[in-house]
Amino acid sequence: MSSQRPVTPPRRPARRRASSLVLVNTGDGKGKSTAAFGVVLRAVARGWKVCVIQFLKSGRWRTGEEELGRRLGVDWNPLGDGFTWDSEDLEASQATAAAAWAAARRVLASGDYQLVVLDEVTYPMNWGWIDTAEVVAAISERPPEVNVVATGRDAPAGLLAVADTVTEMRKLRHAYDSGVGARRGIDY
């Protein structure tokens, strides 16, 4: 590794102001939702109105992030039915995902929130349960002051294309792979 400093500074585009941003956290590593909830904390600290729509977690889960989010006034909506890949009724799971998307579409279009988190939205998109083109259109056509964070593995190309910032979490190791289950305070 060279300790020599670069001779010329990196070139940067001219600064501009965006009325809102779209962030996508994807990849097979841990931390996609966690990073989104960090943005939630920043937004709440700035007095923003925030809505979280969760596409996998259900109201039966009592996660730490939901508990804190609700205390802070976040409109928290766990609209999924759990780990869908374990579902015994995929038609019901698909209908649940469609209903969650209908709620998310209304929230995005309303302009009532300065930040909308679409947590784990990529799963129903990739399974064909909600239309990727419709999700991309709703994000693209949102009111100008609505920022969006979308999370989940294997983000579709259309979602990546509409994003201002895309972060890919890469797994190097995960405790689950060695048999360690999810832990309160760390994973939920």
Side-chain angles (χ1 to χ4, degrees), residues 97-122:
W101 170 242
R105 188 176 55 235
R106 284 190 302 275
V107 165
L108 284 168
S110 74
D112 292 341
Y113 299 91
Q114 290 155 299
L115 177 64
V116 176
V117 175
L118 305 174
D119 187 39
E120 299 173 325
V121 68
T122 64

Side-chain angles (χ1 to χ4, degrees), residues 63-118:
T63 64
E65 58 267 22
E66 179 182 351
E67 176 68 28
L68 182 59
R70 287 185 186 280
R71 286 186 206 173
L72 295 173
V74 174
D75 186 357
W76 205 281
N77 301 276
L79 301 178
D81 64 356
F83 291 118
T84 307
W85 44 88
D86 289 336
S87 177
E88 293 181 18
D89 186 349
L90 288 177
E91 286 183 17
S93 294
Q94 184 173 357
T96 299
W101 170 242
R105 188 176 55 235
R106 284 190 302 275
V107 165
L108 284 168
S110 74
D112 292 341
Y113 299 91
Q114 290 155 299
L115 177 64
V116 176
V117 175
L118 305 174

Side-chain angles (χ1 to χ4, degrees), residues 46-182:
R46 300 297 180 204
W48 290 11
K49 193 167 179 191
V50 177
C51 181
V52 173
I53 306 281
Q54 293 184 293
F55 285 83
L56 288 187
K57 291 185 179 75
S58 74
R60 295 181 306 274
W61 293 39
R62 299 310 301 172
T63 64
E65 58 267 22
E66 179 182 351
E67 176 68 28
L68 182 59
R70 287 185 186 280
R71 286 186 206 173
L72 295 173
V74 174
D75 186 357
W76 205 281
N77 301 276
L79 301 178
D81 64 356
F83 291 118
T84 307
W85 44 88
D86 289 336
S87 177
E88 293 181 18
D89 186 349
L90 288 177
E91 286 183 17
S93 294
Q94 184 173 357
T96 299
W101 170 242
R105 188 176 55 235
R106 284 190 302 275
V107 165
L108 284 168
S110 74
D112 292 341
Y113 299 91
Q114 290 155 299
L115 177 64
V116 176
V117 175
L118 305 174
D119 187 39
E120 299 173 325
V121 68
T122 64
Y123 298 99
M125 292 169 75
N126 287 325
W127 296 330
W129 293 357
I130 60 176
D131 183 56
T132 297
E134 187 177 315
V135 173
V136 169
I139 291 172
S140 297
E141 296 164 6
R142 73 195 187 282
E145 67 283 354
V146 178
N147 297 275
V148 178
V149 181
T151 73
R153 292 179 183 216
D154 303 315
L159 183 59
L160 297 177
V162 75
D164 297 289
T165 300
V166 177
T167 301
E168 182 177 12
M169 276 53 164
R170 187 170 58 99
K171 180 177 79 168
L172 299 179
R173 180 179 308 128
H174 196 297
Y176 185 81
D177 296 337
S178 66
V180 177

